Amino acid sequence: MHRNKVVSREDWFQAHKAHLAREKELTRLREHIAAERRELPWLKIRKDYVFETEQGPKRLANLFGANSQLIVYHFVFAPGSNHHCESCAFVADHMDGANRHLRHHDVSLVAVSQAPLAELQPYKQRMGWKFDWVSSYASDFNFDMQVSFTDKQIASGEAVYNFETPVLTSKDLPGTTVFHKSETSDIFLTFMSRARGSEQFIGAYQYLDIAPKGRDETGPYRTFMDWVRLHDEYGNRSQQGDVSP
């Protein structure tokens, strides 16, 4: 049963008009923070990272293609793992739609995982994704970008993630990292987003946030982990106690 008031048309209009002021405030704040982000200092990349791609080995500079900006999504997929990260797949399901436009606006969008390419490709085919998904298996890229961690780092509590040293139980975590390539082919790290930072790329949440029930994450974890599945597994949710088709 809903608990919202049911009011007259005039009262409804006035309430929603008042709320619109808050929505506009949020829009202006988001634009202000985005402008601040673009003014952050950059870090020059001095390592020559090489990735395994469907077209053969490529350096970081090659992942830009003809564009000067590169957004990397760090998809959790460890070598030899049969675990499929639902949260990473949730983000990945939104990448192809955005990529149709980004690649025509000086931005390349690529997913990177530690697993060898041969392990990534069957899963990519199953999911029907078209974006470039490359392997950093032979480089320190994931570790330098602070999304993968050694046993020693985890045991010592020295692993840095999201600019902090949290207690970690996983050797791999998701995130988004942004680079710029200059006219002289110098590469700079311009921004990184970790933890819930990639949530902003999940368009489904934007729809849920305007729906009456919101995100409706009412399970034991109170997060997307209570309901999100790989997009080809929703028909099997009866296995988790949900008999919905």
Side-chain angles (χ1 to χ4, degrees):
M1 294 290 291
H2 71 80
R3 291 178 287 181
N4 300 67
K5 292 181 179 179
V6 177
V7 299
S8 67
R9 180 180 295 272
E10 179 60 27
D11 288 346
W12 184 94
F13 183 88
Q14 293 302 326
H16 284 257
K17 182 178 179 181
H19 176 74
L20 177 60
R22 295 284 288 161
E23 295 275 10
K24 289 183 177 180
E25 182 181 343
L26 177 60
T27 298
R28 289 191 291 269
L29 178 60
R30 186 183 299 112
E31 291 174 345
H32 180 71
I33 291 174
E36 286 184 344
R37 183 185 303 125
R38 292 191 293 272
E39 296 300 320
L40 289 171
W42 292 359
L43 178 68
K44 188 172 182 178
I45 300 296
R46 302 186 183 279
K47 275 193 179 180
D48 191 18
Y49 301 106
V50 177
F51 302 85
E52 186 182 12
T53 81
E54 294 180 17
Q55 295 79 38
K58 287 188 177 182
R59 291 180 166 81
L60 180 60
N62 301 129
L63 299 187
F64 286 78
N67 296 319
S68 70
Q69 301 166 99
L70 173 66
I71 299 175
V72 169
Y73 180 65
H74 300 280
F75 195 116
V76 176
F77 200 127
S81 174
N82 59 2
H83 167 69
H84 294 145
C85 173
E86 284 96 346
S87 63
C88 294
F90 199 21
V91 174
D93 280 340
H94 295 78
M95 289 176 61
D96 283 332
N99 201 24
R100 292 188 183 99
H101 301 275
L102 294 176
R103 62 191 178 199
H104 299 292
H105 200 54
D106 197 30
V107 176
S108 294
L109 180 60
V110 177
V112 174
S113 296
Q114 271 211 90
L117 190 66
E119 296 179 21
L120 303 178
Q121 287 179 318
Y123 184 46
K124 179 183 178 182
Q125 183 176 7
R126 168 188 163 183
M127 293 289 99
W129 294 325
K130 304 300 182 185
F131 56 80
D132 289 335
W133 193 0
V134 306
S135 169
S136 61
Y137 181 75
S139 79
D140 296 326
F141 183 75
N142 273 41
F143 297 94
D144 291 348
M145 295 301 116
Q146 299 173 346
V147 290
S148 292
F149 314 96
T150 64
D151 291 330
K152 181 180 178 180
Q153 285 178 310
I154 294 175
S156 66
E158 297 176 353
V160 178
Y161 181 71
N162 203 24
F163 302 99
E164 298 177 336
T165 53
V167 176
L168 297 180
T169 58
S170 175
K171 296 175 67 174
D172 294 277
L173 291 170
T176 304
T177 305
V178 187
F179 301 92
H180 171 75
K181 184 170 67 173
S182 72
E183 294 180 356
T184 56
S185 295
D186 289 322
I187 298 175
F188 301 90
L189 173 60
T190 67
F191 183 69
M192 63 168 55
S193 175
R194 302 291 184 260
R196 289 186 63 181
S198 297
E199 183 179 297
Q200 62 186 310
F201 309 122
I202 301 176
Y205 270 153
Q206 310 311 309
Y207 289 100
L208 289 174
D209 285 344
I210 64 171
K213 290 185 178 181
R215 301 187 182 187
D216 200 25
E217 293 166 338
T218 56
Y221 301 106
R222 301 284 173 172
T223 71
F224 59 88
M225 298 305 296
D226 290 319
W227 68 276
V228 170
R229 302 291 184 271
L230 301 182
H231 63 240
D232 65 351
E233 291 186 347
Y234 281 107
N236 298 325
R237 292 192 67 179
S238 59
Q239 297 175 3
Q240 288 82 33
D242 185 337
V243 297
S244 303

